Protein backbone atom coordinates (compact mmCIF):
# COMPACT_ATOMS: atom_id res chain seq x y z
CA UNK A 1 0.00 0.00 0.00
CA UNK A 2 1.27 3.41 -0.94
CA UNK A 3 -1.21 5.24 1.19
CA UNK A 4 -1.47 5.25 4.93
CA UNK A 5 -5.10 4.94 5.89
CA UNK A 6 -6.39 7.47 8.35
CA UNK A 7 -7.26 5.83 11.66
CA UNK A 8 -10.95 5.00 11.87
CA UNK A 9 -12.70 7.36 14.24
CA UNK A 10 -14.12 5.49 17.20
CA UNK A 11 -13.36 1.91 16.12
CA UNK A 12 -15.75 -0.75 17.43
CA UNK A 13 -14.84 -2.63 20.61
CA UNK A 14 -16.58 -5.94 20.22
CA UNK A 15 -16.12 -7.10 23.80
CA UNK A 16 -17.71 -3.95 25.20
CA UNK A 17 -20.36 -4.08 22.53
CA UNK A 18 -21.41 -7.61 23.42
CA UNK A 19 -21.52 -6.70 27.11
CA UNK A 20 -23.71 -3.69 26.39
CA UNK A 21 -26.09 -5.88 24.40
CA UNK A 22 -26.68 -8.22 27.35
CA UNK A 23 -30.33 -9.23 27.58
CA UNK A 24 -30.89 -9.01 23.83
CA UNK A 25 -30.64 -11.84 21.28
CA UNK A 26 -27.76 -9.90 19.70
CA UNK A 27 -25.31 -10.33 22.62
CA UNK A 28 -22.38 -12.49 21.53
CA UNK A 29 -23.65 -12.55 17.95
CA UNK A 30 -21.99 -9.45 16.50
CA UNK A 31 -19.73 -10.14 13.55
CA UNK A 32 -17.47 -7.28 12.49
CA UNK A 33 -15.97 -6.84 9.00
CA UNK A 34 -13.40 -4.10 8.28
CA UNK A 35 -14.61 -4.19 4.69
CA UNK A 36 -17.32 -6.20 2.96
CA UNK A 37 -19.39 -6.07 -0.24
CA UNK A 38 -22.64 -5.54 1.65
CA UNK A 39 -23.67 -6.48 5.18
CA UNK A 40 -27.14 -7.41 3.84
CA UNK A 41 -25.69 -9.70 1.19
CA UNK A 42 -23.47 -11.38 3.77
CA UNK A 43 -26.39 -11.82 6.17
CA UNK A 44 -28.62 -13.31 3.44
CA UNK A 45 -25.79 -15.67 2.39
CA UNK A 46 -25.23 -16.88 5.95
CA UNK A 47 -28.97 -17.15 6.61
CA UNK A 48 -29.08 -19.79 3.87
CA UNK A 49 -26.41 -21.66 5.81
CA UNK A 50 -28.59 -21.75 8.94
CA UNK A 51 -26.85 -18.90 10.77
CA UNK A 52 -28.60 -18.06 14.06
CA UNK A 53 -31.38 -15.52 14.41
CA UNK A 54 -30.02 -12.40 16.11
CA UNK A 55 -26.71 -12.40 14.27
CA UNK A 56 -25.52 -8.84 13.61
CA UNK A 57 -23.29 -7.99 10.64
CA UNK A 58 -21.28 -4.85 11.18
CA UNK A 59 -18.89 -3.26 8.69
CA UNK A 60 -16.56 -0.26 8.65
CA UNK A 61 -16.77 -0.14 4.88
CA UNK A 62 -19.15 -1.54 2.26
CA UNK A 63 -17.93 -1.78 -1.31
CA UNK A 64 -21.34 -2.76 -2.69
CA UNK A 65 -23.85 -1.26 -0.27
CA UNK A 66 -27.33 -1.22 -1.70
CA UNK A 67 -30.52 0.72 -1.43
CA UNK A 68 -33.88 0.24 -3.04
CA UNK A 69 -33.84 -0.61 -6.76
CA UNK A 70 -30.11 -1.26 -6.51
CA UNK A 71 -29.36 2.38 -5.67
CA UNK A 72 -25.85 2.52 -4.31
CA UNK A 73 -25.37 3.54 -0.73
CA UNK A 74 -22.24 5.66 -0.23
CA UNK A 75 -20.31 3.70 2.41
CA UNK A 76 -16.84 5.16 2.91
CA UNK A 77 -14.54 3.50 5.45
CA UNK A 78 -15.40 4.26 9.06
CA UNK A 79 -17.66 7.17 8.21
CA UNK A 80 -20.98 5.56 8.86
CA UNK A 81 -22.77 2.84 10.75
CA UNK A 82 -23.44 -0.05 8.39
CA UNK A 83 -25.25 -2.90 10.06
CA UNK A 84 -27.54 -5.77 9.11
CA UNK A 85 -29.55 -7.87 11.52
CA UNK A 86 -30.61 -11.44 10.74
CA UNK A 87 -33.96 -12.46 12.23
CA UNK A 88 -36.22 -15.47 11.96
CA UNK A 89 -39.43 -13.96 13.34
CA UNK A 90 -42.39 -16.29 13.79
CA UNK A 91 -44.85 -14.01 12.01
CA UNK A 92 -46.59 -14.06 8.65
CA UNK A 93 -44.50 -12.75 5.74
CA UNK A 94 -46.83 -9.76 5.26
CA UNK A 95 -46.21 -8.72 8.86
CA UNK A 96 -42.49 -8.32 8.26
CA UNK A 97 -43.53 -5.03 6.66
CA UNK A 98 -44.28 -3.86 10.20
CA UNK A 99 -40.78 -4.83 11.30
CA UNK A 100 -39.39 -2.78 8.45
CA UNK A 101 -41.47 0.24 9.52
CA UNK A 102 -40.63 -0.29 13.19
CA UNK A 103 -36.93 -0.37 12.32
CA UNK A 104 -37.27 3.27 11.25
CA UNK A 105 -38.72 4.11 14.65
CA UNK A 106 -35.86 2.24 16.37
CA UNK A 107 -33.29 4.30 14.46
CA UNK A 108 -35.16 7.51 15.24
CA UNK A 109 -35.21 6.65 18.95
CA UNK A 110 -31.52 5.70 18.96
CA UNK A 111 -30.42 8.92 17.27
CA UNK A 112 -32.58 10.91 19.69
CA UNK A 113 -31.13 9.06 22.73
CA UNK A 114 -27.53 9.65 21.70
CA UNK A 115 -27.56 13.06 19.98
CA UNK A 116 -30.83 14.68 21.14
CA UNK A 117 -31.60 15.31 17.47
CA UNK A 118 -35.04 14.26 16.27
CA UNK A 119 -34.78 12.86 12.75
CA UNK A 120 -37.90 12.93 10.62
CA UNK A 121 -39.06 9.66 9.05
CA UNK A 122 -39.90 9.73 5.36
CA UNK A 123 -42.26 6.82 4.70
CA UNK A 124 -41.52 4.02 4.80
CA UNK A 125 -38.31 4.36 6.78
CA UNK A 126 -35.79 6.94 5.56
CA UNK A 127 -34.26 9.06 8.30
CA UNK A 128 -33.97 12.76 7.50
CA UNK A 129 -32.29 15.70 9.19
CA UNK A 130 -32.82 19.21 7.78
CA UNK A 131 -34.76 17.54 4.97
CA UNK A 132 -31.75 15.52 3.86
CA UNK A 133 -31.19 11.80 4.24
CA UNK A 134 -28.97 10.68 7.13
CA UNK A 135 -30.12 7.09 7.28
CA UNK A 136 -31.79 4.39 5.23
CA UNK A 137 -33.13 0.90 5.77
CA UNK A 138 -33.36 -1.98 3.32
CA UNK A 139 -35.09 -5.14 4.48
CA UNK A 140 -34.73 -8.41 2.63
CA UNK A 141 -37.02 -11.31 3.21
CA UNK A 142 -36.97 -14.95 2.27
CA UNK A 143 -40.39 -16.46 2.82
CA UNK A 144 -42.77 -19.16 1.80
CA UNK A 145 -46.41 -18.19 1.33
CA UNK A 146 -47.27 -18.54 5.00
CA UNK A 147 -43.90 -18.70 6.75
CA UNK A 148 -40.84 -16.45 7.06
CA UNK A 149 -37.60 -18.34 6.58
CA UNK A 150 -35.43 -15.35 7.41
CA UNK A 151 -35.46 -11.58 7.26
CA UNK A 152 -32.47 -9.24 7.16
CA UNK A 153 -32.87 -5.63 8.22
CA UNK A 154 -30.05 -3.51 6.81
CA UNK A 155 -29.44 -0.06 8.25
CA UNK A 156 -27.03 2.60 7.04
CA UNK A 157 -26.46 5.80 9.02
CA UNK A 158 -24.23 8.72 8.02
CA UNK A 159 -22.21 9.56 11.10
CA UNK A 160 -18.75 11.08 10.55
CA UNK A 161 -18.90 12.39 6.98
CA UNK A 162 -17.70 16.02 7.07
CA UNK A 163 -19.26 16.65 3.67
CA UNK A 164 -20.72 14.86 0.65
CA UNK A 165 -19.79 15.05 -3.03
CA UNK A 166 -21.62 17.90 -4.85
CA UNK A 167 -24.12 15.54 -6.51
CA UNK A 168 -25.22 14.25 -3.08
CA UNK A 169 -24.84 17.41 -1.00
CA UNK A 170 -28.44 18.55 -1.39
CA UNK A 171 -29.77 15.02 -0.70
CA UNK A 172 -27.57 13.61 2.06
CA UNK A 173 -26.37 14.72 5.45
CA UNK A 174 -24.57 13.24 8.46
CA UNK A 175 -24.64 13.66 12.21
CA UNK A 176 -21.27 15.43 11.88
CA UNK A 177 -22.64 17.92 9.36
CA UNK A 178 -25.74 18.57 11.47
CA UNK A 179 -24.02 19.00 14.83
CA UNK A 180 -20.34 19.63 14.09
CA UNK A 181 -19.56 16.74 16.43
CA UNK A 182 -18.35 13.16 16.03
CA UNK A 183 -20.77 10.74 17.65
CA UNK A 184 -19.72 7.22 18.62
CA UNK A 185 -20.96 4.65 16.13
CA UNK A 186 -20.81 2.06 18.88
CA UNK A 187 -23.10 4.07 21.18
CA UNK A 188 -25.52 4.56 18.30
CA UNK A 189 -25.41 0.85 17.52
CA UNK A 190 -26.07 -0.23 21.10
CA UNK A 191 -29.03 2.14 21.41
CA UNK A 192 -30.32 1.05 18.00
CA UNK A 193 -30.15 -2.67 18.77
CA UNK A 194 -31.88 -2.23 22.13
CA UNK A 195 -34.71 -0.26 20.51
CA UNK A 196 -34.93 -2.73 17.63
CA UNK A 197 -35.16 -5.62 20.05
CA UNK A 198 -38.12 -3.96 21.76
CA UNK A 199 -39.85 -3.49 18.41
CA UNK A 200 -39.25 -7.13 17.44
CA UNK A 201 -40.50 -8.38 20.81
CA UNK A 202 -43.72 -6.35 20.53
CA UNK A 203 -44.44 -7.44 16.97
CA UNK A 204 -43.73 -11.11 17.59
CA UNK A 205 -45.52 -11.40 20.93
CA UNK A 206 -48.31 -13.96 20.77
CA UNK A 207 -51.86 -12.51 20.65
CA UNK A 208 -50.75 -8.89 20.44
CA UNK A 209 -50.15 -8.31 16.76
CA UNK A 210 -53.10 -5.97 16.18
CA UNK A 211 -52.20 -3.88 19.20
CA UNK A 212 -48.53 -3.80 18.20
CA UNK A 213 -49.21 -2.79 14.60
CA UNK A 214 -51.65 -0.07 15.66
CA UNK A 215 -48.95 1.19 18.01
CA UNK A 216 -46.35 1.32 15.21
CA UNK A 217 -48.86 3.19 13.05
CA UNK A 218 -49.61 5.71 15.82
CA UNK A 219 -45.96 6.33 16.62
CA UNK A 220 -45.06 6.73 12.94
CA UNK A 221 -47.92 9.16 12.42
CA UNK A 222 -46.77 11.17 15.43
CA UNK A 223 -43.06 11.00 14.63
CA UNK A 224 -43.12 11.76 10.92
CA UNK A 225 -44.17 14.90 9.06
CA UNK A 226 -44.68 12.78 5.93
CA UNK A 227 -47.70 10.69 6.93
CA UNK A 228 -50.42 13.33 6.93
CA UNK A 229 -50.94 16.52 4.94
CA UNK A 230 -47.65 16.59 3.03
CA UNK A 231 -47.61 17.47 -0.66
CA UNK A 232 -45.63 14.68 -2.31
CA UNK A 233 -44.74 13.17 -5.64
CA UNK A 234 -44.61 9.40 -5.71
CA UNK A 235 -42.76 7.26 -8.21
CA UNK A 236 -44.33 3.83 -7.95
CA UNK A 237 -45.33 1.85 -11.03
CA UNK A 238 -46.19 5.32 -12.38
CA UNK A 239 -45.56 8.86 -11.10
CA UNK A 240 -48.28 10.86 -9.37
CA UNK A 241 -48.68 13.77 -6.97
CA UNK A 242 -50.99 14.40 -4.07
CA UNK A 243 -51.28 15.06 -0.37
CA UNK A 244 -50.50 12.32 2.14
CA UNK A 245 -53.54 11.02 4.01
CA UNK A 246 -52.32 8.65 6.74
CA UNK A 247 -51.45 4.98 6.72
CA UNK A 248 -53.88 2.21 5.86
CA UNK A 249 -54.42 -0.86 8.06
CA UNK A 250 -51.43 -2.59 6.48
CA UNK A 251 -49.08 0.37 6.98
CA UNK A 252 -49.15 1.54 3.37
CA UNK A 253 -49.13 5.29 2.70
CA UNK A 254 -52.36 6.81 1.42
CA UNK A 255 -52.09 9.77 -0.95
CA UNK A 256 -55.07 11.92 -1.87
CA UNK A 257 -54.86 12.79 -5.56
CA UNK A 258 -57.30 14.65 -7.85
CA UNK A 259 -58.37 11.18 -9.03
CA UNK A 260 -58.99 9.73 -5.60
CA UNK A 261 -56.94 7.99 -2.92
CA UNK A 262 -53.86 6.10 -4.10
CA UNK A 263 -52.14 3.57 -1.85
CA UNK A 264 -48.36 3.51 -2.20
CA UNK A 265 -46.96 -0.03 -2.10
CA UNK A 266 -43.32 0.52 -2.79
CA UNK A 267 -42.64 3.83 -4.43
CA UNK A 268 -40.14 6.57 -3.73
CA UNK A 269 -41.89 9.45 -1.98
CA UNK A 270 -40.51 12.97 -2.49
CA UNK A 271 -41.69 16.36 -1.31
CA UNK A 272 -43.53 18.70 -3.67
CA UNK A 273 -45.79 18.60 -6.69
CA UNK A 274 -44.69 17.24 -10.04
CA UNK B 1 -72.89 -21.82 -13.86
CA UNK B 2 -69.69 -20.65 -15.43
CA UNK B 3 -66.68 -20.29 -13.20
CA UNK B 4 -66.21 -16.83 -11.75
CA UNK B 5 -63.73 -15.31 -9.40
CA UNK B 6 -64.77 -15.53 -5.77
CA UNK B 7 -65.02 -11.75 -5.48
CA UNK B 8 -67.36 -11.42 -8.42
CA UNK B 9 -70.55 -12.07 -6.52
CA UNK B 10 -69.85 -10.22 -3.31
CA UNK B 11 -72.45 -7.61 -2.45
CA UNK B 12 -71.39 -4.11 -1.43
CA UNK B 13 -72.16 -5.08 2.15
CA UNK B 14 -69.94 -8.16 1.91
CA UNK B 15 -67.14 -6.03 0.51
CA UNK B 16 -67.50 -3.59 3.38
CA UNK B 17 -67.27 -6.43 5.86
CA UNK B 18 -64.25 -7.86 4.04
CA UNK B 19 -62.58 -4.45 4.09
CA UNK B 20 -62.81 -4.46 7.88
CA UNK B 21 -60.88 -7.73 8.06
CA UNK B 22 -57.16 -7.49 8.55
CA UNK B 23 -54.85 -8.65 5.74
CA UNK B 24 -53.99 -11.88 7.54
CA UNK B 25 -57.64 -12.78 7.85
CA UNK B 26 -58.31 -12.03 4.19
CA UNK B 27 -55.24 -13.97 3.17
CA UNK B 28 -56.27 -16.92 5.29
CA UNK B 29 -59.78 -16.77 3.93
CA UNK B 30 -58.48 -16.85 0.34
CA UNK B 31 -56.25 -19.79 1.16
CA UNK B 32 -59.10 -21.55 2.89
CA UNK B 33 -61.34 -21.07 -0.15
CA UNK B 34 -58.64 -22.57 -2.38
CA UNK B 35 -58.28 -25.51 -0.02
CA UNK B 36 -62.02 -26.14 0.09
CA UNK B 37 -62.31 -25.89 -3.69
CA UNK B 38 -59.42 -28.26 -4.25
CA UNK B 39 -60.95 -30.84 -1.98
CA UNK B 40 -64.50 -30.54 -3.18
CA UNK B 41 -65.93 -29.53 0.17
CA UNK B 42 -69.35 -28.03 -0.43
CA UNK B 43 -70.06 -26.01 2.68
CA UNK B 44 -67.93 -24.59 5.46
CA UNK B 45 -68.56 -22.47 8.55
CA UNK B 46 -65.82 -20.73 10.50
CA UNK B 47 -66.07 -18.70 13.68
CA UNK B 48 -63.21 -16.63 15.04
CA UNK B 49 -64.14 -14.22 17.79
CA UNK B 50 -66.70 -11.91 16.22
CA UNK B 51 -65.81 -13.06 12.74
CA UNK B 52 -68.15 -15.65 11.27
CA UNK B 53 -67.67 -16.98 7.77
CA UNK B 54 -70.01 -19.31 5.92
CA UNK B 55 -68.93 -20.61 2.55
CA UNK B 56 -71.12 -22.59 0.15
CA UNK B 57 -69.82 -23.67 -3.19
CA UNK B 58 -71.94 -23.79 -6.31
CA UNK B 59 -71.30 -26.25 -9.12
CA UNK B 60 -71.14 -30.01 -9.21
CA UNK B 61 -68.40 -30.86 -6.78
CA UNK B 62 -67.28 -34.44 -6.35
CA UNK B 63 -68.53 -36.50 -3.43
CA UNK B 64 -66.50 -35.55 -0.38
CA UNK B 65 -63.93 -38.06 0.70
CA UNK B 66 -64.01 -38.27 4.52
CA UNK B 67 -60.20 -38.19 4.58
CA UNK B 68 -60.42 -34.55 3.51
CA UNK B 69 -61.99 -33.70 6.82
CA UNK B 70 -58.89 -34.64 8.74
CA UNK B 71 -56.86 -32.58 6.29
CA UNK B 72 -59.18 -29.68 6.92
CA UNK B 73 -58.69 -30.00 10.65
CA UNK B 74 -54.93 -29.94 10.06
CA UNK B 75 -55.36 -26.92 7.82
CA UNK B 76 -57.32 -25.07 10.48
CA UNK B 77 -54.71 -25.99 13.09
CA UNK B 78 -51.89 -24.81 10.81
CA UNK B 79 -53.68 -21.52 10.22
CA UNK B 80 -54.13 -21.17 13.93
CA UNK B 81 -50.43 -21.58 14.56
CA UNK B 82 -49.31 -19.42 11.66
CA UNK B 83 -51.42 -16.45 12.57
CA UNK B 84 -50.77 -16.60 16.32
CA UNK B 85 -54.45 -15.99 16.85
CA UNK B 86 -56.68 -17.69 19.39
CA UNK B 87 -59.78 -19.71 18.77
CA UNK B 88 -60.30 -21.09 15.34
CA UNK B 89 -63.55 -22.99 15.46
CA UNK B 90 -64.31 -24.79 12.26
CA UNK B 91 -67.67 -26.42 11.58
CA UNK B 92 -67.55 -28.57 8.50
CA UNK B 93 -70.64 -29.56 6.59
CA UNK B 94 -69.60 -31.61 3.60
CA UNK B 95 -72.34 -31.87 1.04
CA UNK B 96 -72.42 -34.03 -2.06
CA UNK B 97 -75.16 -32.09 -3.79
CA UNK B 98 -74.38 -28.60 -5.02
CA UNK B 99 -75.79 -25.77 -2.96
CA UNK B 100 -77.98 -23.30 -4.74
CA UNK B 101 -75.82 -20.23 -5.34
CA UNK B 102 -78.65 -17.71 -4.97
CA UNK B 103 -79.67 -19.16 -1.59
CA UNK B 104 -76.07 -19.06 -0.38
CA UNK B 105 -75.57 -15.48 -1.54
CA UNK B 106 -78.63 -14.20 0.29
CA UNK B 107 -78.20 -16.15 3.53
CA UNK B 108 -75.99 -13.73 5.49
CA UNK B 109 -73.93 -10.57 5.03
CA UNK B 110 -70.78 -12.57 5.73
CA UNK B 111 -71.50 -15.01 2.95
CA UNK B 112 -69.14 -15.39 0.04
CA UNK B 113 -69.69 -17.92 -2.69
CA UNK B 114 -67.42 -19.36 -5.30
CA UNK B 115 -68.04 -21.45 -8.36
CA UNK B 116 -65.84 -24.43 -9.12
CA UNK B 117 -62.67 -23.28 -10.89
CA UNK B 118 -61.88 -24.26 -14.46
CA UNK B 119 -58.95 -26.58 -14.01
CA UNK B 120 -56.57 -25.68 -16.82
CA UNK B 121 -53.57 -25.97 -14.53
CA UNK B 122 -53.99 -29.60 -13.61
CA UNK B 123 -50.70 -31.15 -12.58
CA UNK B 124 -48.93 -27.78 -12.41
CA UNK B 125 -47.47 -26.35 -9.24
CA UNK B 126 -48.46 -22.70 -8.72
CA UNK B 127 -46.02 -20.35 -6.96
CA UNK B 128 -47.95 -17.56 -5.21
CA UNK B 129 -46.92 -14.25 -3.68
CA UNK B 130 -46.56 -14.25 0.12
CA UNK B 131 -46.92 -10.45 0.31
CA UNK B 132 -48.60 -7.51 -1.39
CA UNK B 133 -46.12 -5.54 -3.46
CA UNK B 134 -44.51 -4.91 -6.80
CA UNK B 135 -43.30 -7.87 -8.86
CA UNK B 136 -39.77 -7.72 -10.27
CA UNK B 137 -38.42 -10.38 -12.61
CA UNK B 138 -34.75 -9.38 -12.09
CA UNK B 139 -32.55 -8.38 -9.15
CA UNK B 140 -32.05 -4.83 -10.47
CA UNK B 141 -33.31 -2.77 -13.40
CA UNK B 142 -31.63 -3.81 -16.63
CA UNK B 143 -30.25 -7.11 -15.38
CA UNK B 144 -31.47 -10.45 -16.77
CA UNK B 145 -34.59 -12.08 -15.35
CA UNK B 146 -34.09 -14.68 -12.61
CA UNK B 147 -36.06 -17.19 -14.72
CA UNK B 148 -38.10 -17.36 -17.92
CA UNK B 149 -40.63 -19.88 -19.23
CA UNK B 150 -38.83 -23.01 -20.37
CA UNK B 151 -36.17 -22.80 -17.64
CA UNK B 152 -35.67 -25.74 -15.33
CA UNK B 153 -35.63 -24.69 -11.66
CA UNK B 154 -34.68 -26.37 -8.40
CA UNK B 155 -36.39 -26.12 -5.01
CA UNK B 156 -35.07 -22.98 -3.31
CA UNK B 157 -34.07 -21.25 -6.53
CA UNK B 158 -35.01 -17.55 -6.58
CA UNK B 159 -37.72 -16.88 -9.17
CA UNK B 160 -38.41 -13.18 -8.64
CA UNK B 161 -38.61 -10.36 -6.11
CA UNK B 162 -41.77 -8.84 -4.70
CA UNK B 163 -41.09 -5.47 -3.13
CA UNK B 164 -43.20 -3.41 -0.75
CA UNK B 165 -42.02 -0.57 1.50
CA UNK B 166 -38.41 -1.16 0.49
CA UNK B 167 -38.76 -4.71 1.70
CA UNK B 168 -37.33 -6.99 -0.96
CA UNK B 169 -38.89 -10.42 -0.83
CA UNK B 170 -37.05 -13.10 -2.74
CA UNK B 171 -39.58 -15.65 -3.91
CA UNK B 172 -38.10 -19.12 -4.13
CA UNK B 173 -39.49 -22.04 -6.02
CA UNK B 174 -41.03 -24.64 -3.74
CA UNK B 175 -41.04 -27.20 -6.54
CA UNK B 176 -38.43 -28.58 -8.93
CA UNK B 177 -39.34 -28.61 -12.59
CA UNK B 178 -39.96 -26.51 -15.64
CA UNK B 179 -41.31 -22.95 -15.55
CA UNK B 180 -44.24 -23.16 -17.95
CA UNK B 181 -45.92 -19.85 -17.27
CA UNK B 182 -45.38 -16.45 -15.68
CA UNK B 183 -48.68 -14.86 -14.69
CA UNK B 184 -47.49 -11.27 -14.09
CA UNK B 185 -45.21 -8.72 -15.73
CA UNK B 186 -42.24 -6.97 -14.16
CA UNK B 187 -43.23 -3.80 -12.33
CA UNK B 188 -46.83 -4.95 -11.86
CA UNK B 189 -48.48 -4.73 -8.41
CA UNK B 190 -49.45 -8.11 -6.97
CA UNK B 191 -51.81 -9.11 -4.17
CA UNK B 192 -51.25 -11.62 -1.40
CA UNK B 193 -51.68 -15.13 -2.76
CA UNK B 194 -51.66 -13.97 -6.40
CA UNK B 195 -50.29 -16.53 -8.85
CA UNK B 196 -46.76 -15.72 -10.02
CA UNK B 197 -45.47 -18.82 -11.82
CA UNK B 198 -46.64 -22.24 -12.90
CA UNK B 199 -44.08 -25.02 -12.55
CA UNK B 200 -44.44 -28.43 -14.19
CA UNK B 201 -42.97 -30.70 -11.51
CA UNK B 202 -40.21 -32.98 -12.65
Amino acid sequence: MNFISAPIAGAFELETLNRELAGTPFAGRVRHFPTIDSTNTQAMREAEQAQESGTVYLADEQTGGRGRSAHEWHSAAGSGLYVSILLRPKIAPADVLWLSLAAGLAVQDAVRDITSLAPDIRWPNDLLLSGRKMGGILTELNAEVTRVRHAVIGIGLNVHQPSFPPELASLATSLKIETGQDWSRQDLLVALLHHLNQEVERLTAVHNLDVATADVRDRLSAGSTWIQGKQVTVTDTDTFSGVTDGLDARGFLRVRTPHGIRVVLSGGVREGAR
Amino acid sequence: MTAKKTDARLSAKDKKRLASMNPEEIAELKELIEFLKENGIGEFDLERGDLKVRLKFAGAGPQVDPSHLSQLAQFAAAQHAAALQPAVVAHVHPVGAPAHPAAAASSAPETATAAAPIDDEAGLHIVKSPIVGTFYESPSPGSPAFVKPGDMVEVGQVLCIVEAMKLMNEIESDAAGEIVKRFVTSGQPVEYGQKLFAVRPR
Side-chain angles (χ1 to χ4, degrees):
Chain A
M1 290 288 281
N2 292 324
F3 301 98
I4 297 166
S5 310
I8 289 170
F12 291 106
E13 309 232 355
L14 286 192
E15 216 171 291
T16 316
L17 185 55
N18 279 314
R19 200 166 51 240
E20 290 174 339
L21 292 173
T24 74
F26 313 121
R29 296 207 172 97
V30 179
R31 306 196 48 208
H32 176 251
F33 302 83
T35 181
I36 197 169
D37 51 355
S38 145
T39 53
N40 259 39
T41 304
Q42 182 69 20
M44 289 295 279
R45 271 196 296 258
E46 293 197 11
E48 288 293 340
Q49 293 145 23
Q51 181 60 268
E52 289 175 299
S53 181
T55 305
V56 175
Y57 299 83
L58 182 61
D60 287 315
E61 180 186 35
Q62 293 187 109
T63 55
R66 289 170 299 142
R68 185 176 162 270
S69 307
H71 292 154
E72 280 180 34
W73 181 263
H74 195 77
S75 309
S79 59
L81 176 60
Y82 315 118
V83 60
S84 295
I85 299 104
L86 167 62
L87 298 170
R88 300 184 192 280
K90 290 187 174 57
I91 55 178
D95 294 326
V96 177
L97 292 171
W98 291 106
L99 271 184
S100 186
L101 289 175
L105 290 168
V107 176
Q108 185 184 46
D109 286 341
V111 171
R112 192 186 285 137
D113 284 359
I114 303 299
T115 69
S116 302
L117 294 171
D120 200 359
I121 297 180
R122 179 172 60 197
W123 186 93
N125 51 22
D126 284 343
L127 281 297
L128 307 183
L129 286 168
S130 312
R132 291 177 294 176
K133 188 161 166 175
M134 63 82 52
I137 298 172
L138 182 75
T139 307
E140 294 186 72
L141 174 64
N142 183 296
E144 296 165 12
V145 172
T146 56
R147 189 178 75 93
V148 173
R149 288 204 186 107
H150 51 264
V152 168
I153 300 174
I155 298 168
L157 296 187
N158 298 329
V159 182
H160 297 302
Q161 290 92 338
S163 63
F164 282 95
E167 68 273 18
L168 287 177
S170 66
L171 303 173
T173 191
S174 69
L175 295 177
K176 171 80 171 180
I177 292 169
E178 295 299 315
T179 64
Q181 277 180 260
D182 282 305
W183 299 93
S184 155
R185 290 178 301 157
Q186 177 145 334
D187 290 349
L188 286 161
L189 178 63
V190 169
L192 167 60
L193 290 175
H194 276 284
H195 282 294
L196 186 67
N197 186 46
Q198 285 172 14
E199 301 290 350
V200 174
E201 282 187 350
R202 282 188 203 134
L203 285 167
T204 56
V206 181
H207 302 320
N208 271 338
L209 186 62
D210 289 350
V211 176
T213 58
D215 177 57
V216 169
R217 234 155 44 107
D218 289 348
R219 285 184 292 139
L220 256 182
S221 303
S224 164
T225 67
W226 289 73
I227 305 295
Q228 189 75 50
K230 173 91 94 189
Q231 173 74 51
V232 294
T233 295
V234 179
T235 309
D236 200 341
T237 44
D238 61 340
T239 300
F240 59 92
S241 296
V243 177
T244 59
D245 189 39
L247 301 178
D248 77 3
R250 303 168 299 182
F252 291 115
L253 184 64
R254 290 157 45 93
V255 177
R256 188 177 296 281
T257 77
H259 312 290
I261 295 281
R262 293 276 304 258
V263 173
V264 186
L265 298 183
S266 57
V269 179
R270 295 295 177 268
E271 190 163 17
R274 258 173 111 167
Chain B
M1 285 306 288
T2 52
K4 282 188 185 175
K5 290 181 98 172
T6 308
D7 292 349
R9 277 191 252 128
L10 292 179
S11 68
K13 208 171 173 187
D14 290 340
K15 283 180 181 163
K16 196 174 169 193
R17 178 63 188 92
L18 276 175
S20 73
M21 293 171 69
N22 70 38
E24 288 77 32
E25 287 174 328
I26 293 192
E28 285 169 25
L29 186 59
K30 283 183 178 169
E31 213 173 312
L32 178 63
I33 289 169
E34 284 304 315
F35 180 91
L36 296 173
K37 278 200 260 184
E38 279 167 21
N39 290 286
I41 290 167
E43 187 177 339
F44 178 79
D45 287 1
L46 176 131
E47 290 182 35
R48 270 173 84 157
D50 62 349
L51 175 71
K52 292 189 174 68
V53 177
R54 164 166 293 182
L55 297 161
K56 282 188 184 180
F57 292 84
Q63 195 71 34
V64 172
D65 177 344
S67 70
H68 291 145
L69 298 183
S70 62
Q71 287 176 30
L72 183 61
Q74 286 168 14
F75 181 88
Q79 289 301 298
H80 185 183
L84 302 172
Q85 292 269 357
V88 175
V89 184
H91 304 292
V92 183
H93 305 291
V95 288
H100 193 281
S106 61
S107 62
E110 293 85 2
T111 299
T113 64
I118 293 173
D119 195 1
D120 60 350
E121 284 150 11
L124 297 183
H125 178 83
I126 306 298
V127 179
K128 296 174 182 172
S129 181
I131 63 169
V132 172
T134 305
F135 174 89
Y136 293 108
E137 64 176 3
S138 59
S140 56
S143 60
F146 289 105
V147 293
K148 56 186 188 305
D151 285 359
M152 297 301 290
V153 297
E154 300 298 329
V155 171
Q157 184 172 339
V158 176
L159 302 179
C160 63
I161 286 172
V162 176
E163 188 223 336
M165 296 188 201
K166 286 198 303 177
L167 186 152
M168 318 297 285
N169 188 2
E170 288 181 351
I171 312 293
E172 294 185 354
S173 185
D174 46 359
E178 182 193 354
I179 301 282
V180 293
K181 188 170 181 185
R182 192 185 68 186
F183 293 98
V184 289
T185 55
S186 207
Q188 178 186 328
V190 295
E191 289 297 320
Y192 173 91
Q194 188 167 340
K195 294 174 182 178
L196 302 177
F197 292 95
V199 180
R200 190 186 310 286
R202 200 165 45 216

